[in-house]
Amino acid sequence: MNTPRPGPLSRFTILDASRVRAGPTAVRTFADLGARVIKLEIPPGAPGGDDMIGGRDHNRADYENLHRNKESLTLNMKEAEGREILHALVQRADVFIENYRPDVKHRLGIGPDALRAINPRLVYASISGFGQDGPAMGWPGFDSIAQGMGGLMSVTGRPGEGPMRAGIPIADLCAGHFCAQAIMAALLEREATGAGQWVQTSLLEAQIAMLDFQAAQWLVDGKVPQSTGNEHPLTVPTGVFATSDGHINIAAIGQTMWKRLCEALDVPHLVTEPGFGSDPERVHNRDRVNAAVGERFRQHSTAWWTDRLLGAGVPCGPIHTVDRVFADAQVRHLGIAQTMQHPELGGIEVVGLPMQFSRHPRAQTRLDAAPLQGAHTESILQELGYAPDRIAQLRERFVV
């Protein structure tokens, strides 16, 4: 077993039967906050295989990104003896999380009713592609499909160029984060009632929730949002402008910011230009506004304009490639890139949790590399009372 890791959630034990990205994203939150996480993997040689993102090449960046700070137990839950081991773990656990297709857990006999009958305090968490029931419940859940069905692709990209997928698996990631929130809420509620419960989310629901004001435009105002590229659909000028050496992002929202921008650009006459007098007017005359301010931005560098606009109180910033993100002085100051020791690669950097705790400083958090498959099988089974010869027998039959 891993040496216990300090953190605000160190009293909790999580059983992780999830795969791919959404589930591991939820579980990573608990692992990084000190919870004991036992990752359940299909034993080598057992039918079924494992299709986790990152595969079994433990040098791959994404495997370390998703599965750090965990223990690994190989367990064939299709076998009765495998389920016996699972039941023993469930008796000691606080959370069980899975992201199988909705019917799989019931066919395996490891659904919420079955496991909560063993431990009524268990919080059982499920992530699906499209929900646990309904006409699309059986559809395979993939991030890009949820992005399309959830409306994001219709409002992403440049006007007239058709639907565009976001550059990150945002439906997967948000489903994972919403699931983690639901689990924590259920654990808090359990402190009052003593009972666990089944919490659920899906890629589709998470993606729709992330539409935010775009959803409100339709639900409240009856307007179908359209793609506007780098610009904001409701305020102008807000977006990306070319400079003499690159690009700059600005957000001149509302009249106050518009006036400050015009003064910083040395074009104060634009404040009273016909058709530029309010956000709705500027939206209507978007191309004229952008051409007027864009001409000024091309005359100086991004750094020059960033200093000038920030000095004038106009929100702005450079547009970094990923390498420059981690070279940025503010990013280095925040310390979100943390060093983790890898048994083969030595010290590598990973992105830590984007939150700070005064009594659990991020800089003092110990990060453990993602485990080799089944690295903790023997120690976990011994913890449950299994003798070495019994463990050997289970290995021979691919139960573990």
Side-chain angles (χ1 to χ4, degrees), residues 110-135:
I110 60 171
D113 291 342
L115 296 192
R116 292 191 60 250
I118 297 166
N119 179 2
R121 289 177 55 81
L122 184 73
V123 174
Y124 191 110
S126 296
I127 303 177
S128 61
F130 305 96
Q132 295 296 315
D133 46 32

Side-chain angles (χ1 to χ4, degrees), residues 300-357:
H300 295 286
S301 69
T302 297
W304 192 92
W305 280 119
T306 299
D307 289 343
R308 185 172 177 86
L309 266 60
L310 290 176
V314 178
C316 68
I319 298 174
H320 288 326
T321 54
V322 175
D323 58 326
R324 294 180 67 184
V325 168
F326 293 101
D328 184 275
Q330 182 63 23
V331 175
R332 292 200 306 271
H333 171 78
L334 291 172
I336 192 168
Q338 294 183 262
T339 299
M340 179 174 72
Q341 291 300 315
H342 189 279
E344 296 177 10
L345 301 177
I348 61 174
E349 285 194 317
V350 294
V351 175
L353 276 175
M355 57 185 77
Q356 301 272 15
F357 295 83

Side-chain angles (χ1 to χ4, degrees), residues 3 90-91 394:
T3 304
V90 166
Q91 289 176 350
L394 294 173

Side-chain angles (χ1 to χ4, degrees), residues 19-22 24-25 28 39 51-68 70 168-169 172-173 340 342 345 348-351 369-371:
R19 302 178 298 170
V20 192
R21 187 172 303 278
T25 297
R28 181 178 58 195
K39 181 159 66 77
D51 58 359
M52 279 188 301
I53 292 291
R56 292 202 168 84
D57 179 356
H58 293 254
N59 293 343
R60 287 187 58 172
D62 200 26
Y63 190 90
E64 296 298 333
N65 167 48
L66 287 169
H67 300 294
R68 63 178 181 247
K70 299 180 182 180
I168 58 171
D172 274 337
L173 298 176
M340 179 174 72
H342 189 279
L345 301 177
I348 61 174
E349 285 194 317
V350 294
V351 175

Side-chain angles (χ1 to χ4, degrees), residues 139-153:
W139 291 20
F142 284 89
D143 174 84
S144 59
I145 309 303
Q147 285 194 35
M149 288 183 66
L152 177 65
M153 291 175 66

Side-chain angles (χ1 to χ4, degrees), residues 109-227:
I110 60 171
D113 291 342
L115 296 192
R116 292 191 60 250
I118 297 166
N119 179 2
R121 289 177 55 81
L122 184 73
V123 174
Y124 191 110
S126 296
I127 303 177
S128 61
F130 305 96
Q132 295 296 315
D133 46 32
M137 62 169 284
W139 291 20
F142 284 89
D143 174 84
S144 59
I145 309 303
Q147 285 194 35
M149 288 183 66
L152 177 65
M153 291 175 66
S154 74
V155 296
T156 303
R158 293 182 178 180
E161 293 188 356
M164 178 66 65
R165 182 178 65 85
I168 58 171
I170 191 168
D172 274 337
L173 298 176
C174 290
H177 292 311
F178 286 139
C179 182
Q181 291 178 40
I183 292 169
M184 290 189 193
L187 290 172
L188 284 171
E189 197 262 358
R190 190 182 74 174
E191 292 182 359
T193 66
Q197 59 182 298
W198 184 18
V199 300
Q200 309 167 25
T201 190
S202 67
L203 273 60
L204 181 60
E205 290 168 284
Q207 181 58 81
I208 292 171
M210 293 304 293
L211 288 179
D212 196 62
F213 73 92
Q214 298 282 37
Q217 283 198 79
W218 166 248
L219 293 174
V220 178
D221 297 332
K223 297 178 181 178
V224 179
Q226 304 296 316
S227 61

Side-chain angles (χ1 to χ4, degrees), residues 154-296:
S154 74
V155 296
T156 303
R158 293 182 178 180
E161 293 188 356
M164 178 66 65
R165 182 178 65 85
I168 58 171
I170 191 168
D172 274 337
L173 298 176
C174 290
H177 292 311
F178 286 139
C179 182
Q181 291 178 40
I183 292 169
M184 290 189 193
L187 290 172
L188 284 171
E189 197 262 358
R190 190 182 74 174
E191 292 182 359
T193 66
Q197 59 182 298
W198 184 18
V199 300
Q200 309 167 25
T201 190
S202 67
L203 273 60
L204 181 60
E205 290 168 284
Q207 181 58 81
I208 292 171
M210 293 304 293
L211 288 179
D212 196 62
F213 73 92
Q214 298 282 37
Q217 283 198 79
W218 166 248
L219 293 174
V220 178
D221 297 332
K223 297 178 181 178
V224 179
Q226 304 296 316
S227 61
T228 55
N230 288 320
E231 299 180 46
H232 196 284
L234 304 179
T235 63
V236 175
T238 297
V240 178
F241 291 87
T243 63
S244 64
D245 66 346
H247 294 85
I248 189 171
N249 237 336
I250 70 166
I253 299 173
Q255 286 304 102
T256 299
M257 292 297 175
W258 169 240
K259 292 177 182 178
R260 291 177 183 175
L261 176 66
C262 291
E263 291 170 2
L265 294 176
D266 291 326
V267 286
H269 64 279
L270 292 182
V271 174
T272 57
E273 178 80 12
F276 291 9
S278 67
D279 266 329
E281 288 180 282
R282 290 192 294 276
V283 169
H284 182 71
N285 296 291
R286 184 186 299 272
D287 291 343
R288 284 179 54 211
V289 175
N290 287 340
V293 299
E295 182 180 352
R296 289 290 296 143

